[in-house]
Amino acid sequence: MVAALLALLTFLSYEEAHRVRFADRRAGNAITMSSGTGKKPKDFRVEDFAKVEELVLGLPSYFETLCDIERCMNLKRLEMGELNSYIWIPKEEDILREEGIARLERELAGILESCGQLEYLCIRNGNGTCNLSSLEFLENGKNLTDLILYGMGNLDYSPVFSCYSLQSLMLIGCRVTDSDIGEIGKLENLCALHLAGTDITELGSIVELEGLELLWLNSTSIAGVEGIEELENLQWLDLSDTAVTEAGELVNLKNLRTLNIADTPLAGNKEELKLLREALPDTKIVTYGTGW
């Protein structure tokens, strides 16, 4: 009888010690649902954190804290935020304010430090709902292979280049300038680069990315592609809705499989277009339609 009672007390003590108390209810719900255990938050246990490999969150303003995510030691993919929408007008509570932004940036630094297997990070600032003030947290992102920042404003983007394992970098619709990407050549493993809708005007050090295979420069102010022949491994290039007028060094991209020049002066220049098609007979050249 005594032994049975001791066993019961031990079990109850173990259960209580391993019962999870989430710091944020909504974050707890997201973590529980993503664990694949089928449990409710009240039944979630410490050991269940190891089963969470992917988290897709909504607007960061919906959470009081994301510190619970630091316990997901096997987390590989984290997404948060919304895209821009012309039909959606954010409410006051949808927009993360200055204090919330500072908290989020601190917590992202902690998540990147604690979740050593995190490879994919996506943060969207749709309609100004998550307007980050600093990217310093990325200095802890040494293991990231994929980074997406959407709609961010005028920031110091240099911490991005601390993420030297990056294979894919997307700074879509961000206020990125030529000087902001001056050190992009440091990302030696980069295969895909998406700079659609940014403020860049020239290729600059992008041409140092010898392993680059996919490049989006659409909806930018780039008018010339000098040096692009250095990207010998490039297979996809999107120049749509930019100011490119001549084929130039594009004719030397022999490994290019798709070239999008829709809504550019080049697409309407018959002589240059003929030159391009003759030089790249195996390349699909898109001259109409657009989109990111």
Side-chain angles (χ1 to χ4, degrees):
M1 184 69 177
V2 174
L5 182 59
L6 286 174
L8 177 60
L9 291 174
T10 300
F11 172 76
L12 292 176
S13 177
Y14 174 86
E15 282 291 290
E16 184 60 25
H18 286 70
R19 190 185 303 275
V20 173
R21 293 177 175 80
F22 291 107
D24 183 273
R25 177 180 57 82
R26 287 180 171 175
N29 289 337
I31 290 171
T32 302
M33 291 179 62
S34 299
S35 68
T37 61
K39 295 181 178 179
K40 296 180 179 179
K42 66 182 180 64
D43 301 317
F44 203 74
R45 295 294 183 267
V46 172
E47 56 270 21
D48 293 328
F49 279 110
K51 301 172 184 176
V52 181
E53 296 186 359
E54 178 177 333
L55 276 174
V56 180
L57 308 177
L59 294 172
S61 61
Y62 291 173
F63 305 90
E64 293 182 3
T65 176
L66 296 179
C67 65
D68 293 309
I69 297 176
E70 293 185 28
R71 305 169 75 178
C72 302
M73 67 290 292
N74 292 324
L75 187 66
K76 295 180 180 178
R77 185 182 182 103
L78 176 60
E79 297 184 39
M80 65 181 70
E82 301 289 344
L83 295 173
N84 282 340
S85 173
Y86 295 110
I87 60 175
W88 170 54
I89 300 176
K91 300 178 181 178
E92 183 72 19
E93 59 268 25
D94 295 333
I95 300 173
L96 199 61
R97 300 302 179 184
E98 185 175 348
E99 182 178 344
I101 289 292
R103 171 187 53 76
L104 175 62
E105 292 167 357
R106 289 194 303 270
E107 292 179 346
L108 284 170
I111 290 170
L112 285 170
E113 184 175 8
S114 300
C115 303
Q117 297 192 49
L118 188 61
E119 299 175 342
Y120 180 103
L121 177 61
C122 175
I123 308 174
R124 305 183 184 95
N125 180 33
N127 289 16
T129 50
C130 182
N131 198 20
L132 296 178
S133 63
S134 171
L135 298 177
E136 289 183 8
F137 61 87
L138 288 176
E139 294 176 359
N140 290 344
K142 302 295 189 297
N143 295 325
L144 288 178
T145 59
D146 298 83
L147 175 62
I148 299 175
L149 298 176
Y150 177 90
M152 298 300 166
N154 294 313
L155 296 172
D156 175 7
Y157 286 88
S158 61
V160 169
F161 309 120
S162 301
C163 307
Y164 49 74
S165 297
L166 282 180
Q167 297 175 21
S168 174
L169 173 60
M170 300 188 178
L171 303 175
I172 305 172
C174 295
R175 299 302 302 271
V176 175
T177 65
D178 296 327
S179 60
D180 288 326
I181 61 171
E183 298 181 69
I184 201 167
K186 292 181 178 180
L187 301 179
E188 298 178 353
N189 299 310
L190 209 61
C191 297
L193 178 60
H194 206 316
L195 296 173
T198 62
D199 296 334
I200 64 170
T201 62
E202 59 183 21
L203 290 176
S205 55
I206 292 175
V207 300
E208 299 175 13
L209 300 170
E210 297 179 357
L212 203 62
E213 298 177 1
L214 309 172
L215 178 59
W216 286 263
L217 298 172
N218 46 308
S219 301
T220 66
S221 297
I222 288 182
V225 289
E226 293 79 7
I228 201 167
E229 71 276 8
E230 300 295 327
L231 303 178
E232 297 179 354
N233 295 305
L234 205 60
Q235 299 179 26
W236 169 284
L237 176 59
D238 193 338
L239 295 171
S240 61
D241 194 26
T242 74
V244 176
T245 59
E246 300 178 351
E249 283 88 352
L250 292 174
V251 299
N252 296 316
L253 298 176
K254 302 303 181 182
N255 290 318
L256 204 59
R257 294 292 169 260
T258 301
L259 172 62
N260 190 343
I261 55 172
D263 300 315
T264 66
L266 176 56
N269 190 323
K270 293 182 178 180
E271 292 185 3
E272 289 292 308
L273 196 55
K274 179 181 178 182
L275 177 64
L276 197 56
R277 285 174 170 157
E278 290 176 349
L280 305 175
D282 299 322
T283 302
K284 177 183 178 181
I285 301 177
V286 181
T287 59
Y288 59 90
T290 187
W292 290 5

